[in-house]
Amino acid sequence: MKLQNTMLQAALVAMLAWTTTACNNHSSSNKETEETTDTTAAVAASYPEEELGWKLGAQAYTFRLFSFEEALHKIKEAGLQHVEMYPGQDLTKGSSEKTGHQLNAEGRKKAKELLSEHGITLNAYGVVDGKDEAEWRQIFDFAKEMGIQVVVCEPKEAHLDILSKLCDEYNIKVAIHNHPEPSTYWDPAIVLKAIEGRSDKMGAAADVGHWERSGLNPVESLKKLEGKVFHVHFKDLNVANDKAAHDVHWGTGVIGMPQIIEELKRQQFKGMISAEYEHNWENNTGDVKASVEKFRQAL
């Protein structure tokens, strides 16, 4: 009888221990789930554009008076986590190394370290051009190594077939950018003609501000390029149809930011939207931050 009582007590202790452990594990699991949910909600609140598949960031040229390292700091300060690199910016303050496809191995390593330190993703590279097929291949090699998804460019007509071949070979997109008239690709119709019959990885980098400078309606221009908008340069301007127009906080100018946002949604655009604020050059971080906040409020 004494042995049976002892065995029964042991069984009860074991059962109690199992129940306590199970409850603790369940509680811990619930806590982890709640923490994950809270984190996801916080990210969604901070970067609502991500839910649309939009990578809101900045063209580093916005901070061209500073080094790439300083630009990354300013981009992060503006509430952004993506960057479009351009060729020719000092890599670090006082450095002789310049950003772009001609960076040596050490410079590329340093660029990757800077991106990691600031928690910023390099999504696009441009606006760039190649003098021949060899340089275009160098550009694509650089893009592949750096994890760049889109090469933003204004290529010579004679190089379009080269780009078509490289897009398919490297599985990297090319987005043809529009500067204002009379630049080669100022009109969406010209871009469409350039990519016709070529790789489906060739499309447009829509600069909505430059369209406005050229007297084109940004929303109508986006509609013409439907399905081929791979990248966006976003800016708002103080006046329409004027090449001397300057940047203002998004949503306070003439481009029609709400209508552009709705059109990008309608087209189910997926890709990077680069803030390109080309005004108040010496101290425009606050301008970019204010613009980004207005953009996110409009979503």
Side-chain angles (χ1 to χ4, degrees), residues 8 45 71 81-83 103 114 127 160 180 203 207 247 265 276 285:
L8 180 60
Q81 54 182 358
H82 301 277
V83 65
L103 260 181
L114 292 173
V127 177
L160 292 171
D207 192 311
D247 291 62
K265 286 181 179 180
E276 195 172 37
T285 307

Side-chain angles (χ1 to χ4, degrees), residues 148-161:
I148 292 165
Q149 300 176 9
V150 180
V151 173
V152 180
C153 58
E154 293 185 16
K156 302 171 185 65
E157 183 178 357
H159 292 173
L160 292 171
D161 285 338

Side-chain angles (χ1 to χ4, degrees), residues 1-68:
M1 179 66 72
K2 185 176 181 181
L3 177 61
Q4 289 178 339
N5 288 340
T6 301
M7 293 176 63
L8 180 60
Q9 289 173 356
L12 288 172
V13 169
M15 183 177 295
L16 180 61
W18 179 87
T19 303
T20 301
T21 301
C23 288
N24 287 339
N25 288 341
H26 182 69
S27 176
S28 176
S29 177
N30 284 344
K31 185 176 180 181
E32 289 175 1
T33 301
E34 289 172 1
E35 289 176 351
T36 301
T37 302
D38 289 344
T39 301
T40 303
V43 170
S46 300
Y47 308 103
E49 68 278 358
E50 298 281 338
E51 295 185 15
L52 296 167
W54 299 358
K55 305 299 182 184
L56 187 58
Q59 164 58 266
Y61 191 77
T62 295
F63 307 108
R64 65 182 178 83
L65 300 185
F66 306 90
S67 69
F68 182 66

Side-chain angles (χ1 to χ4, degrees), residues 180 209-216 237-246 254:
H210 286 336
W211 279 333
E212 192 71 57
R213 285 190 172 103
S214 299
L216 298 175
L237 305 177
N238 61 327
V239 293
N241 195 17
D242 185 346
K243 292 180 178 62
H246 68 73
V254 297

